[in-house]
Structure formats: C-alpha cells, structure tokens
Amino acid sequence: MSDLRISEAFLYMDYLCFRALCCKGPPPARPEYDLVCIGLTGSGKTSLLSKLCSESPDSVVSTTGFSIKAVPFQNAILNVKELGGADNIRKYWSRYYQGSQGVIFVLDSASSEDDLETARNELHSALQHPQLCTLPFLILANHQDKPAARSVQEVKKYFELEPLARGKRWILQPCSLDDMEALKDSFSQLINLLEDHEAVRM
C-alpha cells in the first residue's frame, strides 16, 4: 500500500473517531409521565417518594395538601403529584386527577382494620373514577418490614382486587424503605404499563 493510501486510511479513521466523539448529539430525551399518588395519612407516600429522589429522611414531612416531585429513572421521569391523605383532604382528591397518566396508591399493610377498610374504600373509588379507571395503577403494600404487615395475597383478597380490577392495568407489589431494589422494580413495571398505555392511545 502506498504512503498516500495509508495517510488516507488514517485520515478516515480520525474522521470516524471525530464523528463518534463530537457529532453524536445529545441523548434522546426521556419520556415524562404525570402521575397522581394517593393513600391515607401514614401509609408512607412521602417517605417512599423522597427515598426514590435520594432526599434526606430528616427532611421528610407528611403532606398536608399536595406536593409534586420529579422522580428520575433511567428510562423515564415520573412527575408525581402526591395528595395528602387526611380525612379533610381526601374529599378533594378528585379535583387533582385531571391530566394524570397513571396512579400510585400506597397502603399501610400493617395498619388497623378500620384504616385498612378506609383504604379499601378509597382505592375502590379511585379504580372506578371516570378520570382514572382506564389508567395504569401501581398499588404498593407498604411497611412490609413491620411484624403486623399483611402479605400481598392477604391484601389482594381483602381489597377484592381480582373482581374489581379485572380488565384494568394494575400491579400490586409489597414494599418498604428497607428494600429499594424491590421498590424500583415496582416502578419499572409501572413505567412499562405507562409505555404500553400511551402506545395504545396513539
């Protein structure tokens, strides 16, 4: 091979390296989804979302009205509108449903029978609400690290999810602050449902 051809080959290789390093362009933007997060006071909504955002546990304060967090994942950003779960706030939940693309419902799996009954009624209302009934649901049975925690099967049976949510897109997962990998996996499953739901809509 002549010196000219060798030089041309090296120049072409330099060009390819330059294209790879400098002309790659910005990575594609991650899709964003607007979600509403509901559940009774004490279910752990704020703590779970704060942990996913890598916020200090010392800064966690129970939500009294509503708050919005951008929760980043590798393949999506979830803009989560968390609504307070007190008695005097829950009656206004539906005012904040508009524009939601998915729902996160957090329940305390170790709560009293009365609170669990209230949580069941609220979840049933959400599953049947006109603005939410067709959306993907992630139902988190939180506080699985507590001795009194009910299993996922117990929660599924008590909440009558199989007959009520038949035909809907929903996931029921156990969770606790001690197992972030399981929590992140639950949200990954939700993102898959959101992608499928948006694809069907388009």
Side-chain angles (χ1 to χ4, degrees):
M1 183 181 291
S2 67
D3 291 342
L4 179 60
R5 288 186 177 276
I6 292 173
S7 298
E8 289 176 346
F10 276 113
L11 284 172
Y12 183 67
M13 290 174 64
D14 288 342
Y15 168 74
L16 292 179
C17 290
F18 175 80
R19 285 287 303 272
L21 293 173
C22 302
C23 303
K24 191 175 182 180
R30 286 176 288 179
E32 297 190 25
Y33 299 101
D34 295 326
L35 308 180
V36 62
C37 179
I38 53 180
L40 304 189
T41 296
S43 61
K45 304 183 300 295
T46 307
S47 296
L48 291 175
L49 293 174
S50 296
K51 192 75 178 284
L52 286 169
C53 292
S54 301
E55 296 176 357
S56 169
D58 298 332
S59 64
V60 174
V61 178
S62 182
T63 302
T64 54
F66 76 94
S67 66
I68 299 176
K69 289 185 184 295
V71 186
F73 291 90
Q74 188 173 1
N75 56 339
I77 296 174
L78 304 183
N79 297 313
V80 182
K81 185 192 304 176
E82 180 200 345
L83 308 183
D87 293 349
N88 61 333
I89 298 294
R90 294 199 301 271
K91 59 185 177 182
Y92 300 113
W93 277 359
S94 59
R95 297 186 180 184
Y96 298 90
Y97 290 166
Q98 187 172 1
S100 298
Q101 295 169 279
V103 183
I104 304 163
F105 189 95
V106 184
L107 63 97
D108 179 2
S109 61
S111 66
S112 67
E113 291 292 335
D114 288 344
D115 283 348
L116 204 65
E117 175 71 18
T118 302
R120 179 173 70 171
N121 293 336
E122 295 293 353
L123 177 57
H124 284 201
S125 295
L127 282 166
Q128 299 175 83
H129 193 278
Q131 290 180 306
L132 303 181
C133 62
T134 61
L135 302 181
F137 270 71
L138 172 59
I139 305 164
L140 294 173
N142 195 18
H143 297 152
Q144 288 291 309
D145 52 325
K146 294 184 177 181
R150 297 160 179 87
S151 69
V152 165
Q153 290 303 319
E154 289 174 313
V155 170
K156 182 186 294 186
K157 182 178 180 180
Y158 184 83
F159 277 67
E160 300 174 311
L161 287 174
E162 291 291 357
L164 181 68
R166 184 173 292 119
K168 302 179 186 293
R169 299 176 177 88
W170 60 278
I171 305 164
L172 171 63
Q173 290 287 93
C175 74
S176 73
L177 288 175
D178 294 337
D179 192 350
M180 288 307 296
E181 287 305 313
L183 183 64
K184 289 178 180 179
D185 180 67
S186 299
F187 274 84
S188 293
Q189 293 182 52
L190 175 62
I191 290 170
N192 289 337
L193 287 185
L194 291 166
E195 291 173 347
D196 293 343
H197 181 68
E198 290 302 307
V200 170
R201 288 182 58 191
M202 295 172 67

